[in-house]
Amino acid sequence: MDRLPLLLGIGSAVVLLAVVAVRFSTRLGLPSLLLYLGIGVLIGESGLGIRFDDAALTQALGVAALVLILADGGLSTRWSTVRPALGLGIALSTVSVVVSIAVTGFALHWLLGLDLRVGFLWGAVLSSTDAAAVFSVLRGLGLGGRLVGSLELESGLNDAPVFIAVVLLSSGTALSWTDPLLVVYELALGGVLGGLLGRLGVAGLKRAALPATGLYPLATLAVCVGAFALVQSLHASGLLACYVAALVLGNGSLPHREGTRSFAEGLGWLAQIGLFVLLGLYVSPDQLLAAVVPALIAAAVLLVLARPLSVVAAASWFRIPWQEQAFLSWAGLRGAVPIVLALVPLTSGLPGARELVDAVFVLVVVLTVVQGTTLPAVARFLGLAKPQVQEIEVDAAPLEALRADLLQMTVPQGSRMHGVYVRELRLPEGTGLSLVVRRGASFTPQGDTRLQEGDQLLVVATATAREAAERRLRAVDRSGRLARWRGDSGTATS
């Protein structure tokens, strides 16, 4: 009890420092997870001297944080965004995983002299794209609907098959032909039960008359976490069940939906901060030097060989343009999940597992710097950056009561929306342009107001008109005031 104030003080200081780090990382163009890992290393045994080397506890806390991150991702993902990319997202989270494990395993077996099963284990650990990195980075790039939807689905869904593969390869028992069937069973049961529990949660929360609005976000998160716990206890994929349940809940007509999403986002940030700081605290910087060469070799295999081949294997069925395939190949962001997965063979006592953890830590840092900082430039180079139309957080109750959404977008340079009169936007019924911010000054637009490059637009749309409003704004951006006459319906194809 005497140490409680000290522990709480350290915890609050770490969280405040991490929150401030988000602002600096945004200005510097660096992913915030690097700063969180740095904070963990700083307060660890090589910094302030706090020693933490419990691999089993780190793995358990890591999986718990991943559950909260997946819940946040599912609750904030719109079905209208991921629906056009459903097939591609599933292919990226299944076919790509298999190809990536195989290519990485054989390559590292040849390059590093690893046993073939150990090589496949490295491939499985490194095949998982990180939900926290994807959800925090990609949504700020202004990409088209199919790219965002497929990458969000991949990062939310691929943790489940990868986790199962890592557990199987770490078990030490001989693999059999029934193992792939077991994986399919666990994923299928996890997805079905997650969807069912999500629908039950939506129905229950609609009918519940809770005495305080703050209880609705708690109940929603409890359904997601409960889905993981229940399905995992049935020897199915709890991670997949959690994400699917959150996806169903986030797209249901929940009471106080915006408050729930805001609460889940805050909890997701706390989980990310805690997870990355914990992993930074766990590693020993003195041991990382020996892992640099294997990590760089594995990173090169992933970037040059495994990820591009796995994307081609998944995307070739959907006639995806080469520009999008190139971006998908570069956008396979790694984060804390591979480090957490690398702890599984370590807690299982597998020989060489400590070297894997150190190599994965170095690899994550290297790939985060290389990929995370260059994604905006790659998107612009490939011509994939679009005007960003996104929902922003609003706590005003009338919007929720009226079932309306608040959208924000910026007219980018080169957009054909430049010079278009507001009346020529012809937004669908139930939608209105309520505010324009131009060079720092805001005003209420009229029908004869002409839009300019750099204008920030605030659009209010009813829930039923939102998708049509987004399509119309995209169409005018691409084709100008005569978008309909030119056959541009605004459908997000990239």
Side-chain angles (χ1 to χ4, degrees):
M1 188 67 183
D2 293 337
R3 299 180 60 189
L4 182 61
L6 176 62
L7 295 175
L8 291 177
I10 294 175
S12 63
V14 168
V15 171
L16 288 173
L17 182 60
V19 170
V20 173
V22 175
R23 185 175 183 87
F24 281 101
S25 67
T26 302
R27 287 182 176 180
L28 297 174
L30 291 172
S32 56
L33 69 88
L34 289 180
L35 298 178
Y36 301 157
L37 289 172
I39 292 172
V41 172
L42 181 64
I43 65 177
E45 57 182 280
S46 299
L48 298 181
I50 298 177
R51 184 176 179 82
F52 182 80
D53 56 2
D54 191 330
L57 179 59
T58 304
Q59 179 193 333
L61 294 175
V63 173
L66 180 58
V67 169
L68 295 178
I69 292 169
L70 288 175
D72 169 37
L75 288 170
S76 59
T77 297
R78 285 197 167 271
W79 178 243
S80 59
T81 300
V82 300
R83 182 174 53 201
L86 184 61
L88 178 58
I90 293 175
L92 287 172
S93 58
T94 52
V95 175
S96 284
V97 167
V98 174
V99 174
S100 181
I101 291 174
V103 172
T104 305
F106 281 114
L108 295 183
H109 168 68
W110 182 63
L111 293 171
L112 297 179
L114 300 176
D115 178 78
L116 194 55
R117 178 164 179 160
V118 176
F120 288 148
L121 177 60
W122 278 57
V125 167
L126 299 175
S127 294
S128 177
T129 56
D130 190 78
V134 170
F135 295 147
S136 62
V137 174
L138 290 182
R139 291 178 184 176
L141 296 183
L143 298 173
R146 184 168 61 189
L147 277 177
V148 173
S150 60
L151 287 168
E152 287 193 7
L153 275 176
E154 180 194 15
S155 63
L157 296 175
N158 72 357
D159 290 337
V162 169
F163 184 80
I164 297 172
V166 170
V167 171
L168 285 174
L169 291 167
S170 302
S171 63
T173 59
L175 301 178
S176 69
W177 64 270
T178 61
D179 289 332
L181 298 179
L182 176 64
V183 173
V184 172
Y185 158 78
E186 292 192 14
L187 294 177
L189 186 60
V192 171
L193 291 180
L196 178 61
L197 291 171
R199 291 181 68 87
L200 290 175
V202 171
L205 288 170
K206 279 183 178 180
R207 290 172 174 78
L210 300 179
T213 58
L215 294 176
Y216 286 95
L218 288 175
T220 302
L221 263 295
V223 172
C224 300
V225 176
F228 166 81
L230 175 61
V231 175
Q232 194 71 25
S233 66
L234 297 175
H235 302 287
S237 178
L239 294 176
L240 183 59
C242 173
Y243 180 73
V244 172
L247 188 62
V248 173
L249 285 162
N251 288 274
S253 301
L254 292 177
H256 307 286
R257 185 181 62 180
E258 299 308 324
T260 297
R261 286 179 175 171
S262 180
F263 177 80
E265 183 184 15
L267 204 58
W269 273 107
L270 183 61
Q272 290 182 50
I273 293 169
L275 176 56
F276 291 124
V277 171
L278 178 66
L279 294 174
L281 180 63
Y282 176 78
V283 299
S284 299
D286 297 338
Q287 300 178 3
L288 296 180
L289 187 60
V292 170
V293 173
L296 292 178
I297 293 174
V301 169
L302 279 175
L303 284 180
V304 178
L305 199 61
R307 177 65 181 181
L309 288 177
S310 66
V311 168
V312 170
S316 59
W317 301 89
F318 301 96
R319 298 180 181 177
I320 306 299
W322 72 266
Q323 295 94 332
E324 294 186 26
Q325 292 191 40
F327 186 84
L328 289 171
S329 298
W330 194 251
L333 299 174
R334 270 75 185 176
V337 176
I339 307 176
V340 174
L341 292 175
L343 294 172
V344 174
L346 183 62
T347 56
S348 300
L350 203 68
R354 182 69 216 193
E355 290 76 9
L356 173 59
V357 173
D358 294 337
V360 169
F361 187 90
V362 175
L363 179 144
V364 165
V365 172
V366 171
L367 289 188
T368 300
V369 172
V370 172
Q371 294 175 277
T373 57
T374 56
L375 274 177
V378 171
R380 289 193 297 269
F381 175 76
L382 295 173
L384 299 175
K386 303 293 181 183
Q388 193 172 356
V389 182
Q390 62 179 15
E391 185 176 358
I392 60 176
E393 298 291 340
V394 178
D395 290 331
L399 280 179
E400 185 173 317
L402 295 172
R403 299 193 65 212
D405 291 327
L406 196 58
L407 310 178
Q408 182 186 34
M409 71 163 291
T410 301
V411 180
Q413 294 228 351
S415 171
R416 293 193 176 182
M417 194 177 289
H418 176 77
V420 172
Y421 290 101
V422 169
R423 62 172 176 269
E424 293 175 329
L425 287 176
R426 295 184 178 87
L427 295 173
E429 187 176 354
T431 307
L433 178 57
S434 60
L435 194 70
V436 174
V437 179
R438 179 176 295 166
R439 292 186 289 276
S442 57
F443 59 92
T444 302
Q446 306 299 321
D448 57 354
T449 301
R450 298 188 72 176
L451 302 178
Q452 298 180 11
E453 292 179 351
D455 282 355
Q456 294 177 289
L457 312 182
L458 204 61
V459 179
V460 178
T462 62
T464 56
R466 172 183 168 137
E467 289 188 43
E470 290 192 24
R471 288 196 299 269
R472 177 58 183 168
L473 289 170
R474 292 193 193 100
V476 177
D477 165 68
R478 291 195 294 251
S479 305
R481 55 175 60 87
L482 299 179
R484 289 175 182 167
W485 293 99
R486 292 171 176 160
D488 193 339
S489 63
T491 303
T493 58
S494 61

